[in-house]
């Protein structure tokens, strides 16, 4: 099946720094990718929809200036957590769906962000 | 707005016992319903979807529009079924729409 690769899988950063997380569709083009966030013992919550060549669509309550999303190509979307704080520590997961009538969404392996 | 509810955070059964993971949803239109599974240290992956009406790894799920439910069932649980299970809903039939997830149920199958 299709593969979505997320990098890094784990990152620790200091408060106030920025962290970039990459999401790549390895064997298909994805005009749309999704970024989810998962707090401990909670469900996956959609943060934003990343659209290739246009601005991302953010869910209510998600700060677009803090979580910068860039979908520069059909196989790469990046999420940058700017000026990270400890409360940004979470598990971030991206997903993408192949075009042309595909139904299944494929997920990256997730990124565990710890802000110290 | 759509909502997915999985009432049980943890479900523990013995090997060979039947298992049912509950999922209820609310959505005004025609949804697509999915079950995703996440085994330990692995990524989230699709288990099954209601439109294909298939059985995967012995699991089945029937969409009950009257009860707005999409419960996941397996008649005889196996230890390798132990994992996190997420019910998810996608509005309409557009693959470009995002998924809304339930809170997840951890299934533990004891030997």
């Amino acid at each position: 099946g299709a593969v979505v690769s997320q990098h890094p899988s784990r990152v620790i950063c200091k408060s106030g720094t920025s962290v970039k997380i990459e999401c790549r569709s390895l064997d298909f083009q994805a005009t749309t990718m999704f970024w989810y966030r998962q707090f401990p013992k909670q469900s996956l919550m959609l943060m934003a929809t990343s659209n290739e060549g246009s601005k991302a669509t953010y869910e209510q309550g998600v700060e677009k200036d803090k979580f910068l999303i860039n979908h520069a190509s059909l196989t790469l979307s990046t999420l940058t957590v700017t000026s990270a704080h400890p409360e940004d520590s979470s598990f971030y997961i991206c997903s993408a769906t192949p075009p042309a009538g595909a139904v299944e969404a494929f997920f990256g392996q997730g990124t565990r962000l710890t802000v110290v | 707005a759509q909502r997915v509810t999985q009432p049980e955070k943890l479900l523990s059964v013995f090997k060979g016992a039947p298992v049912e993971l509950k999922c209820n949803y609310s959505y005004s239109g025609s949804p697509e319903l999915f079950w995703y599974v996440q085994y330990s240290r692995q990524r989230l992956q699709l288990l099954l979807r209601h439109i294909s009406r298939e059985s995967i790894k012995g699991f089945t799920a029937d969409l009950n529009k009257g009860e707005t439910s999409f419960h996941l069932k397996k008649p005889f649980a196996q230890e390798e079924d132990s994992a996190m299970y997420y019910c998810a809903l996608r509005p309409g039939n557009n693959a470009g729409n995002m998924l809304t997830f339930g809170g997840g149920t951890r299934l533990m199958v004891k030997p």
Side-chain angles (χ1 to χ4, degrees):
Chain A
V3 177
V4 174
S5 176
Q6 208 173 319
H7 177 79
S9 57
R10 190 181 296 266
V11 59
I12 300 174
C13 71
K14 292 184 177 180
S15 289
T17 62
S18 296
V19 175
K20 180 185 285 187
I21 302 170
E22 293 186 348
C23 179
R24 294 180 184 273
S25 54
L26 297 185
D27 49 4
F28 65 95
Q29 294 182 331
T31 55
T32 303
M33 293 186 177
F34 300 97
W35 287 95
Y36 295 85
R37 183 175 181 176
Q38 186 175 31
F39 290 104
K41 300 184 185 297
Q42 296 188 32
S43 184
L44 289 149
M45 298 299 293
L46 180 68
M47 296 176 65
T49 302
S50 173
N51 303 298
E52 188 271 334
S54 64
K55 291 182 178 180
T57 304
Y58 291 82
E59 294 300 297
Q60 191 172 13
V62 178
E63 298 176 61
K64 61 181 180 182
D65 293 330
K66 180 168 188 61
F67 298 100
L68 301 179
I69 292 174
N70 187 325
H71 196 150
S73 76
L74 288 170
T75 59
L76 174 64
S77 175
T78 60
L79 168 67
T80 302
V81 183
T82 63
S83 187
H85 289 105
E87 56 264 31
D88 298 325
S89 298
S90 189
F91 194 62
Y92 295 86
I93 304 175
C94 71
S95 80
T97 301
V103 176
E104 181 176 351
F106 295 90
F107 289 80
Q109 66 269 45
T111 297
R112 169 78 58 196
L113 170 64
T114 303
V115 184
V116 298
Chain B
Q2 57 270 19
R3 186 181 178 90
V4 179
T5 303
Q6 292 177 247
E8 303 142 327
K9 289 190 179 297
L10 174 65
L11 185 61
S12 182
V13 301
F14 284 103
K15 175 183 175 181
V19 63
E20 180 179 50
L21 289 82
K22 291 184 168 52
C23 171
N24 291 92
Y25 68 90
S26 63
Y27 178 62
S28 57
S30 294
E32 286 186 279
L33 274 298
F34 305 84
W35 275 99
Y36 282 85
V37 59
Q38 188 171 28
Y39 300 102
S40 179
R41 301 184 184 279
Q42 295 187 30
R43 70 186 66 203
L44 206 63
Q45 57 185 287
L46 179 67
L47 180 62
L48 53 79
R49 50 186 184 250
H50 88 272
I51 57 173
S52 54
R53 303 181 67 82
E54 57 201 343
S55 174
I56 302 294
K57 298 184 179 182
F59 285 97
T60 58
D62 291 319
L63 178 61
N64 186 321
K65 292 186 177 181
E67 296 181 358
T68 60
S69 68
F70 188 56
H71 303 327
L72 182 68
K73 300 177 184 180
K74 185 170 182 176
F76 307 103
Q78 303 299 314
E79 289 182 70
E80 54 265 30
D81 295 329
S82 296
M84 278 294 295
Y85 291 81
Y86 293 94
C87 182
L89 178 152
R90 182 160 66 201
N93 58 3
N94 184 351
N97 292 337
M98 80 293 188
L99 292 161
T100 298
F101 288 87
T105 299
R106 179 169 298 281
L107 174 64
M108 293 180 59
V109 182
K110 297 177 287 187

